[in-house]
Amino acid sequence: MKLGDELKNVISRAASFVARRGEDAVRDARDVDICLLALCTPESLAKTRFPVAYVEFLRTCIEHVDCTVREVKTCDGSDEWTERFTTLLEVLRSGVPPIEFSTASDAALIADRYHALLRPFRFKGWTGDISLHFQLSSSFGRKARILSSTIRYGRSKQLLELGTAYGMSGLFMLEALRANGETGHLITLEGSEPQYSIASEMLKNRYHDTVTCHFGTTEETLPRIAKDVVIDFMFHDAGHSREDYIRDFNAVKNSFAPGALVLIDDIRWEDPLMSQGRALRCYEGWMEICADSKVRRAVEIDNSMGLLLLL
Ligand SMILES: C[S@@+](CC[C@H](N)C(=O)[O-])C[C@H]1O[C@@H](n2cnc3c(N)ncnc32)[C@H](O)[C@@H]1O
C-alpha cells in the first residue's frame, strides 16, 4: 500500500473513532436524562430544598466517567493483589462504575440538608459558612466513584480515612464495604469542629458499629490509632502538604496489611490562601512516598490523586 493510502486509512480510522466516542457520549447523556426523569418524581424533588443541586449530584453518580491513569512506579510479578490492581486501573480508564441509585439518592438528600446550613464558619484565613465549606471540601460523584471502585476491586475490609470533613467520602466508603457483602470497618479521623460532630452523627446513625469516628489531628492522634489496627485501605484527605503526607504515611506504615491500597487526594495541591504563604510541596511528598520500599506500584489518577499498591 502506498504511503498516501496508509495515511488516509489512519485518518479515516481516527475520524470514525472520534465520531463513535461522540455518539457514545450523546447516547449516554440521553440515557442519564431518561433515568433521572423517571426516578426524580415530583414527590422526591419536593423533599429537597435545592432540587437542581440534588439532580446534578445524582447525575455525577450515574453518568459515564473515565479517568486518566499514569503509572509512576511499576513492578513485575503476578499475584492476586497485582491482578486486582491492574483490573482497577482498567476500570478507571474505561468507565468508573456508577454509584447504586439508592445510595446516590440518600447521599444527595444528605448533601441537600448540609446545603441549608448557613452558620458562619472560619478556617485558616477563610471565612464563609458551613454550606459553602461543605461544597468546597467534600467528595461528590467523581471522587466518590473512584473511592468506591478502589474498595470494590481491592476487596478492602479494614478502612482508614484521614480527614472526615462532613462524612461524604466516609458514607461512600461504607456503602462500598456493604456492597462487597463482607464484614469490615471504617476508622475515620477529623481534627476540626463542627465537621467532626456533623459527620459522626450522620455516620453513626447510618452505620452504627461499622464506623468509628475519632476527633483529633493526625499528628497527635494517628500514631495511637495505628498501633492497634491492620489496615487494607487508607484514604488520605487530611492535611495537604509534603510534611503531612510523609508523617501520616509513616505513622501507618507498619499497620498496613500485605496488598493494602492507599489513595492520596490532591497530590498537586498548592493553595497560597490556605497555606498562608508557605509552599505545600504536596507533589514532592507524594513522590517521596512512591519511592518507599514498601510501595510496589503507584499511579496518578486525573493528575490529582495518587494510588499505591503496597507490599
Ligand atoms: C478535604 S476535607 C476532607 C473531605 C472528605 N474526606 C470528603 O471527601 O468528603 C479535609 C478535612 O481534613 C481535616 N484536616 C486537615 N488537616 C488535618 C489534620 N492534620 N488532622 C486531622 N484532620 C485534618 C480538615 O478539618 C477537613 O475537614
Side-chain angles (χ1 to χ4, degrees):
M1 196 188 290
K2 284 198 225 126
L3 197 61
D5 289 341
E6 230 172 82
L7 191 64
K8 268 190 220 151
N9 275 343
V10 170
I11 292 170
S12 139
R13 276 204 304 275
S16 43
F17 174 77
V18 171
R20 258 198 326 275
R21 290 287 295 232
E23 281 163 20
D24 287 351
V26 170
R27 202 177 54 213
D28 180 65
R30 211 171 44 221
D31 293 347
V32 171
D33 285 343
I34 293 168
C35 295
L36 289 174
L37 263 174
L39 294 162
C40 294
T41 57
E43 298 76 48
S44 68
L45 287 177
K47 280 196 242 160
T48 66
R49 300 183 212 205
F50 305 97
V52 174
Y54 173 83
V55 173
E56 180 58 20
F57 189 113
L58 294 178
R59 182 181 292 281
T60 62
C61 289
I62 62 175
E63 71 190 350
H64 178 85
V65 159
D66 50 44
C67 300
T68 62
V69 176
R70 192 170 79 88
E71 303 235 13
V72 291
K73 187 171 184 178
T74 53
C75 78
D76 292 332
S78 64
D79 51 35
E80 194 178 329
W81 294 310
T82 47
E83 284 170 15
R84 281 189 192 293
F85 194 75
T86 303
T87 302
L88 170 62
L89 302 189
E90 278 164 12
V91 162
L92 294 177
R93 283 189 177 112
S94 59
V96 191
I99 301 288
E100 242 180 62
F101 194 78
S102 60
T103 302
S105 52
D106 278 6
L109 275 181
I110 291 168
D112 186 71
R113 238 174 36 224
Y114 291 167
H115 252 103
L117 298 178
L118 303 187
R119 288 205 302 278
F121 179 65
R122 278 190 85 198
F123 180 74
K124 288 191 184 168
W126 180 90
T127 305
D129 56 28
I130 300 287
S131 170
L132 182 58
H133 187 254
F134 162 69
Q135 291 167 62
L136 295 175
S137 64
S138 297
S139 293
F140 302 124
R142 191 181 185 92
K143 210 181 286 177
R145 287 165 70 172
I146 295 171
L147 265 174
S148 305
S149 307
T150 306
I151 291 166
R152 170 169 164 184
Y153 291 101
R155 305 302 303 184
S156 314
K157 292 184 194 141
Q158 301 303 327
L159 318 178
L160 172 65
E161 175 181 49
L162 308 181
T164 324
Y166 299 89
M168 294 310 287
S169 45
L171 179 152
F172 287 111
M173 289 163 80
L174 284 153
E175 288 296 336
L177 200 59
R178 189 185 271 176
N180 274 356
E182 297 179 88
T183 48
H185 188 261
L186 168 71
I187 297 173
T188 181
L189 173 61
E190 170 58 47
S192 288
E193 284 285 18
Q195 288 84 355
Y196 168 76
S197 298
I198 293 174
S200 47
E201 189 192 339
M202 183 274 284
L203 292 172
K204 287 305 280 181
N205 273 340
R206 282 180 69 91
Y207 303 103
H208 315 285
D209 292 344
T210 316
V211 61
T212 304
C213 303
H214 287 278
F215 179 71
T217 59
T218 56
E219 40 279 53
E220 283 172 8
T221 317
L222 192 55
R224 181 172 48 78
I225 295 174
K227 223 166 47 185
D228 304 321
V229 291
V230 177
I231 296 300
D232 51 26
F233 173 61
M234 177 169 92
F235 178 39
H236 189 291
D237 198 13
H240 295 95
S241 70
R242 170 187 174 273
E243 198 187 355
D244 286 297
Y245 285 178
I246 294 175
R247 183 197 58 235
D248 296 346
F249 179 78
N250 285 336
V252 191
K253 194 166 151 180
N254 294 325
S255 304
F256 286 121
L261 298 173
V262 176
L263 189 63
I264 302 181
D265 201 12
D266 295 321
I267 54 174
R268 285 193 164 78
W269 201 62
E270 284 299 337
D271 183 328
L273 181 68
M274 290 284 182
S275 59
Q276 289 149 341
R278 97 198 139 95
L280 298 172
R281 296 157 67 207
C282 289
Y283 196 70
E284 253 179 81
W286 155 246
M287 280 283 125
E288 281 178 55
I289 292 176
C290 291
D292 193 288
S293 59
K294 203 153 175 118
V295 174
R296 288 173 89 173
R297 288 179 72 178
V299 299
E300 293 176 7
I301 303 169
D302 287 344
N303 278 325
S304 70
M305 300 180 103
L307 178 65
L308 306 171
L309 170 68
L310 303 184
L311 279 173

